[in-house]
Amino acid sequence: MLRTLASATRDRLLRQARSLTSTALASSYFNSPAAKQSDPRRFCVVGSGPAGMYAADRLLAAFGDDAKVDVIEKLPTPFGLVRSGVAPDHAGTKSVVNRFDNILKDPRVEYLGNVSFGEHVGLDDLFARYSATVLCYGAEGDKKLNVPGEDMPGSHSAREFVGWYNGDPRCVEDLDGPIKAALTGAHGGDTAVIFGLGNVAVDCARMLLRSPAHLAATDVCEHALEALRTSSVRRVVMVGRRGVAQAAFSPKELRELLNLPGVTVTVDPTELTLAPEDEADLAAQRPRRRAYEAIVKSIESPPAGTEKDKDGTDGGARELVLKFLRSPAEFTPNEDDGVSVGAVTLGVNKLEGASGSRRAVPTGDTERLDRVSLVLRSVGYKGAPAKGVKAGFPFDLERGVVPNVAGRVMEKMGGYPTHVTGMYVAGWLKRGPYGIIGTNLQCAEETVGSIAEDAAAGRLRRPDYRFKGKGVRALVESRGVKVVDAEGWARIDAAERAAGEAIGKPREKMVSVDEMVALGGRD
Ligand code: FAD
Ligand code: NAP
């Protein structure tokens, strides 16, 4: 009886929290006199990726001249995965940074780069200074495959590989040598195997297969371009545990990969056989049908001709192999050094279950891929608690997200979910590592809608008057942190553009935090 009452109360609280946060209510608040008449509000946004920048933008829209928003970013440079994730050959996608730059230039916004939540500022520092904080620090870990040998040299997460070619300082510093060794087939091997069939896997495959001459005109980092020029990878095998009807990639991204000049596409036609449940999956999701049709077309009528690289290297004779219904079973070392990856054993799967919930089941058969010098595990990013944040702050380790209802951070109090006053979350940290840049706009809108409603109901925090409405800048500087502010970022940005222009690229990224801070930091 008691249990039933407790769960009924919990459900009621959850329903109440949800009902508080409809987008319609939020957007009507943005334009209401209440929003215009509210007290000055000081907000903090942690993380300057798309979720953080959209959250800052929506806070300005909701609270108008009363808003003051500090954006704290761990790296000296802003914009998260737009800078360190989006592929170099997708320049159009990156143009969203123009909008984000304008947000940082707003006089109501203060950018505090090189400041790490958990390390340089803690929860109590934020609670004492801000009416509300929106955590937007993304997903900085990886899902594991949990197979023997997955951590051997030559096997990397896609996150590490992407960070390496996009100049994420942490990936470049730790992994430049190992990734170069794998790319150049230092221990024999001309094959890269990518696990996962999402858009990140497609990005990685394209970067490995695309002509370096084409990449030379993008903002790919020079260290990566040099390595790709000398890469011995000639075959990229993309491996999915389920079938073609369940693959996660989008048709546009897939078509771009299938149509790369000089690349032959190979798919075993038997792997394209569709059961009625798979047909139903394709019928239910048009993008998946279009992706399926693109694959069928690419093997029935492959695009003709190969591209001669403008730098004189022949970009031809590269192969993309798509493999469905295969899971990694074991990674084994090569015979040369006995340590780095040389072969991968795959378990063959069949699909079971109804349309919409098809799952891979091992058949017991295996097959082996040899000549492997690089493995990329592209099976999803995973969020983790920010390092140094005090124990007990809510975090769902299984899903890698901060538990929330419509962006309100929830903790268990006496067994009941309760909103941590003044704490909100948006982006991949709120939803998990899914969705494109634009998804984070709707996500941030929902969260700021919750903040606006809590403001109207007097449920935000009251910052400690002794800090006189100031944010954390003075505090972190007193702790010895050299802050990179918006002007500092503008200096880094200008230097990167100038360095790029000198070699025919839109930008050459700085990859050393020390150098960035030396140029952009304030004494
Ligand atoms: P992030 O972009 O990861 O931003 C999180 C920010 O928080 C980072 O700047 C990080 O440095 C900072 N941070 C982390 N920890 C702390 C801390 N302790 N203190 C302070 N700051 C911290 N979408 C598209 O629409 N088009 C694409 O082409 C595209 N390509 C993609 C390519 C890749 C490889 C990936 C992984 C994703 C891609 N996406 C693309 C999806 C898009 O990038 C995400 O939807 C989006 O970046 C998620 O935004 P976010 O703000 O939640 O996280
Ligand atoms: P994703 O789209 O979720 O794809 C993950 C892939 O990994 C799926 O194929 C999944 O297969 C597979 N997988 C998961 N766990 C596995 C396991 N244990 N063993 C084998 N395979 C496993 O993730 P993502 O590619 O990392 O992309 C993240 C988000 O960023 C997506 O929303 C994506 O669209 C976006 N993004 C967009 C672009 C773009 O617009 N150009 C570019 C890059 C990324 P199952 O389906 O079987 O689980």
Side-chain angles (χ1 to χ4, degrees):
M1 176 67 178
L2 269 178
R3 272 173 73 123
T4 318
L5 266 177
S7 75
T9 312
R10 191 181 57 232
D11 290 349
R12 182 171 49 78
L13 284 169
L14 278 168
R15 271 200 308 277
Q16 275 176 0
R18 281 200 189 98
S19 73
L20 284 169
T21 55
S22 81
T23 311
L25 270 175
S27 61
S28 67
Y29 179 80
F30 292 154
N31 300 315
S32 73
K36 306 258 180 310
Q37 287 164 13
S38 60
D39 298 334
R41 308 282 186 187
R42 190 166 254 282
F43 299 105
C44 183
V45 168
V46 178
S48 67
M53 296 317 300
Y54 286 131
D57 184 59
R58 294 295 81 200
L59 284 166
L60 297 178
F63 292 89
D65 291 341
D66 290 332
K68 187 89 182 65
V69 184
D70 286 358
V71 177
I72 290 177
E73 167 57 50
K74 178 156 76 173
L75 287 173
T77 52
F79 311 145
L81 286 167
V82 178
R83 178 179 165 101
S84 65
V86 173
D89 56 347
H90 282 181
T93 307
K94 291 174 193 242
S95 61
V96 70
V97 301
N98 298 331
R99 178 169 176 196
F100 294 165
D101 257 326
N102 283 336
I103 298 169
L104 289 188
K105 283 179 192 145
D106 189 296
R108 295 166 293 171
V109 174
E110 180 160 20
Y111 175 64
L112 302 171
N114 198 36
V115 176
S116 178
F117 167 60
E119 194 186 341
H120 304 131
V121 279
L123 279 170
D124 292 340
D125 302 323
L126 302 179
F127 283 147
R129 288 167 179 80
Y130 299 100
S131 317
T133 296
V134 190
L135 301 175
C136 305
Y137 60 83
E140 297 214 312
D142 314 295
K143 267 177 72 178
K144 300 286 281 182
L145 288 170
N146 297 320
V147 295
E150 75 174 296
D151 291 321
M152 67 174 52
S155 168
H156 296 275
S157 68
R159 182 185 59 79
E160 293 169 336
F161 183 65
V162 168
W164 169 76
Y165 64 64
N166 270 331
D168 181 325
R170 298 157 293 193
C171 299
V172 179
E173 193 178 325
D174 297 345
L175 301 168
D176 193 38
I179 291 180
K180 276 182 178 154
L183 270 181
T184 52
H187 305 290
D190 61 359
T191 297
V193 181
I194 304 177
F195 289 101
L197 296 178
N199 285 327
V200 172
V202 169
D203 278 355
C204 293
R206 206 174 61 252
M207 290 299 292
L208 289 167
L209 290 167
R210 207 189 246 308
S211 125
H214 182 103
L215 291 175
T218 71
D219 71 356
V220 66
C221 292
E222 274 301 291
H223 66 263
L225 183 61
E226 279 310 311
L228 290 166
R229 279 197 176 111
T230 54
S231 165
S232 56
V233 172
R234 287 290 170 273
R235 184 172 67 136
V236 173
V237 186
M238 291 178 69
V239 182
R241 63 178 166 182
R242 297 194 289 160
V244 64
Q246 292 80 33
F249 38 54
S250 326
K252 181 163 166 272
E253 276 65 27
L254 178 70
R255 263 188 235 113
E256 185 185 10
L257 176 66
L258 296 173
N259 292 326
L260 281 180
V263 177
T264 312
V265 180
T266 307
V267 190
D268 179 345
T270 61
E271 290 170 24
L272 299 180
T273 310
L274 300 174
E277 294 85 350
D278 302 318
E279 292 277 11
D281 274 357
L282 291 183
Q285 297 200 44
R286 270 193 62 76
R288 291 206 169 161
R289 170 154 292 280
R290 295 209 304 275
Y292 166 75
E293 286 166 357
I295 293 171
V296 172
K297 188 172 161 212
S298 77
I299 51 172
E300 280 174 356
S301 48
T306 61
E307 180 187 74
K308 253 318 212 186
D309 283 1
K310 294 180 200 85
D311 64 1
T313 328
D314 189 1
R318 296 188 182 196
E319 184 186 14
L320 170 71
V321 183
L322 294 179
K323 272 193 176 290
F324 300 97
L325 300 167
R326 301 288 186 277
S327 290
E330 187 181 13
F331 300 176
T332 32
N334 64 67
E335 285 172 6
D336 181 38
D337 71 352
V339 178
S340 312
V341 67
V344 168
T345 304
L346 302 176
V348 180
N349 300 328
K350 60 181 178 181
L351 291 179
E352 286 184 357
S355 164
S357 55
R358 302 282 275 158
R359 58 183 189 281
V361 177
T363 62
D365 293 340
T366 59
E367 67 184 43
R368 192 177 141 108
L369 295 172
D370 288 307
R371 303 183 348 239
V372 176
S373 62
L374 174 68
V375 172
L376 297 176
R377 307 174 314 260
S378 185
V379 294
Y381 286 41
K382 189 163 186 193
K387 278 194 196 113
V389 173
K390 72 177 169 199
F393 187 72
F395 199 88
D396 180 339
L397 290 168
E398 182 71 24
R399 294 183 54 223
V401 297
V402 171
N404 69 91
V405 176
R408 292 181 176 92
V409 174
M410 305 299 274
E411 66 181 342
K412 284 259 172 73
M413 293 281 276
Y416 300 113
T418 309
H419 179 207
V420 181
T421 305
M423 270 295 155
Y424 301 82
V425 59
W428 278 16
L429 188 63
K430 169 183 168 186
R431 315 185 307 273
Y434 311 104
I436 59 172
I437 293 167
T439 320
N440 301 291
L441 172 57
Q442 294 141 31
C443 180
E445 248 165 14
E446 181 190 56
T447 297
V448 173
S450 298
I451 297 176
E453 286 162 3
D454 290 350
R459 287 196 299 257
L460 297 188
R461 297 192 80 87
R462 285 188 181 280
D464 189 324
Y465 71 93
R466 285 171 299 176
F467 297 119
K468 300 189 172 72
K470 298 243 177 344
V472 292
R473 181 166 189 155
L475 175 75
V476 293
E477 286 178 338
S478 76
R479 289 175 177 167
V481 179
K482 227 173 164 189
V483 171
V484 174
D485 57 19
E487 285 172 18
W489 155 236
R491 284 196 295 280
I492 296 172
D493 188 31
E496 289 187 343
R497 286 175 195 271
E501 201 181 332
I503 51 174
K505 296 163 75 173
R507 158 189 312 273
E508 182 56 37
K509 288 178 194 157
M510 297 173 78
V511 295
S512 150
V513 167
D514 288 347
E515 282 174 25
M516 291 181 207
V517 173
L519 179 61
R522 271 275 183 84
D523 284 320

